[in-house]
Amino acid sequence: MIISIASGKGGTGKTMVATNLALSIVRTGYALSIQVLDCDVEEPNAHIFLKPRMTESRPVYLPVPQVDFERCTYCGKCGEVCQFSAIAVIKKNVLTFPELCHGCGACSLLCPADAITEVDRQIGVLEIGQSNGVRFIHGILEISEAMSPPLIKAVKRAAHNSGITIIDVPPGTSCPVIEAVKGSDFCLLVTEPTPFGLNDLILAVEMLRILEIPFGVAVNRSDVGDNKVDDYCIKEDISILMKIPMDRDLAVAYSRGTPLVAAKPEWKGKFVRLLDDINRMV
Ligand code: SF4
Ligand code: SF4
């Protein structure tokens, strides 16, 4: 089963939920293998809580076009086919913009003069490790790199297909989020009871309904703010599966990179019940 932990906005505690869910269900007999994929490749931080021992590290590349000007006839086909303005033909010149290229290969495939070859451009690094029985994979995007979906794909490709996979999804509702959540059996949306939390929750709910992925909500810092998230969930018939109140001890543990279930072991049972609820909804 693949469970995505997402949120419409950053800073709601989705990494906290993802890592503590994994630590609570490992070695409980729920599945032979538990793995966490940190797909928040622009700012991965699940490793801070899981503290994995990394056993593998490899670069991730994106194939981008390189033009052979000896062969090029400046026909313009490559510029016409590119949906991302990553290659442009201007008079007797072909300009390429590797940082815009999605590596789809259309230009090299359709070049009538066979003048385009693909060369590798490194966009990040993939690391694989283990943490107390949890298999861990994350991607680290190169600084200033915008092309995160191919790295997210690489993280997901490195995952095993068995057991329970928990995906820490990037915040928001844009392409990297869709890349991370697609294929999930369930998505838990972590939010907070504030106007910003509600606004971004609504956007995330709309996205998941389009993707037809079953989902529920977890409310972090549930005792601050207002009741509008609760009211919205009742109106939309959305299950609130967990509420985590504001707790100074938890905040201190979080700031030190200590998992919630290590600081307060009584929370393990609540995360196990969360998995039971998700199982019932899938
Ligand atoms: S499609 Fe090929 S031949 Fe035509 S302009 Fe592009 S690189 Fe040159
Ligand atoms: S590989 Fe695809 S995205 Fe990249 S330049 Fe060619 S057509 Fe555009």
Side-chain angles (χ1 to χ4, degrees):
M1 178 165 63
I2 302 174
I3 304 169
S4 298
I5 313 292
S7 65
K9 74 186 269 295
T12 55
K14 68 179 170 49
T15 301
M16 183 263 289
V17 172
T19 51
N20 283 288
L21 177 60
L23 291 170
S24 301
I25 61 176
V26 70
R27 300 196 186 102
T28 55
Y30 271 90
L32 282 179
S33 82
I34 310 287
Q35 55 187 345
V36 170
L37 315 183
D38 190 348
C39 286
D40 190 357
V41 299
E42 286 182 50
E43 208 175 344
N45 61 355
H47 63 284
I48 294 170
F49 302 99
L50 292 177
K51 299 178 179 54
R53 188 175 50 82
M54 294 302 184
T55 53
E56 200 180 328
S57 174
R58 54 177 188 253
V60 175
Y61 301 101
L62 190 67
V64 298
Q66 180 172 273
V67 178
D68 178 349
F69 291 99
E70 298 283 308
R71 287 171 172 259
C72 178
T73 59
Y74 306 101
C75 68
K77 285 235 161 48
C78 51
E80 284 166 25
V81 76
C82 183
Q83 299 296 299
F84 306 101
S85 305
I87 189 164
V89 183
I90 299 166
K91 293 186 181 164
K92 292 284 177 200
N93 201 1
V94 183
L95 300 175
T96 57
F97 304 95
E99 62 286 352
L100 298 179
C101 175
H102 283 54
C104 71
C107 54
S108 60
L109 194 70
L110 295 175
C111 171
D114 208 11
I116 298 179
T117 49
E118 291 181 327
V119 292
D120 282 339
R121 183 173 80 83
Q122 186 173 347
I123 56 166
V125 173
L126 179 80
E127 292 185 327
I128 302 176
Q130 283 285 338
S131 166
N132 294 312
V134 176
R135 187 166 184 259
F136 179 77
I137 309 171
H138 71 175
I140 306 168
L141 197 66
E142 291 279 306
I143 290 167
S144 81
E145 176 60 58
M147 212 51 68
S148 64
L151 182 53
I152 293 169
K153 259 187 209 157
V155 171
K156 292 175 80 173
R157 263 200 311 270
H160 292 155
N161 287 328
S162 56
I164 295 178
T165 299
I166 298 167
I167 299 180
D168 188 357
V169 174
T173 49
S174 58
C175 296
V177 180
I178 292 169
E179 190 59 56
V181 297
K182 78 182 179 197
S184 298
D185 299 298
F186 188 88
C187 183
L188 182 68
L189 291 171
V190 183
T191 189
E192 58 187 21
T194 63
F196 288 127
L198 175 60
N199 179 70
D200 296 338
L201 173 66
I202 293 169
L203 295 176
V205 164
E206 284 169 7
M207 174 190 75
L208 290 173
R209 282 183 173 153
I210 291 168
L211 294 173
E212 298 182 354
I213 295 173
F215 62 92
V217 165
V219 185
N220 192 18
R221 297 183 280 270
S222 58
D223 48 353
V224 298
D226 53 37
N227 291 327
K228 289 189 176 138
V229 165
D230 290 50
D231 296 344
Y232 167 74
C233 289
I234 290 168
K235 182 165 106 7
E236 294 290 323
D237 197 21
I238 297 168
S239 301
I240 295 180
L241 301 178
M242 178 174 256
K243 286 194 172 185
I244 305 166
M246 183 74 181
D247 180 326
R248 192 174 188 283
D249 293 345
L250 294 184
V252 170
Y254 186 85
S255 70
R256 291 179 177 153
T258 304
L260 185 161
V261 294
K264 298 212 167 186
E266 62 271 24
W267 272 87
K268 273 193 179 183
K270 297 181 188 182
F271 279 99
V272 169
R273 282 197 290 284
L274 171 65
L275 180 65
D276 287 338
D277 288 340
I278 290 171
N279 262 325
R280 272 192 290 276
M281 294 175 71
V282 168

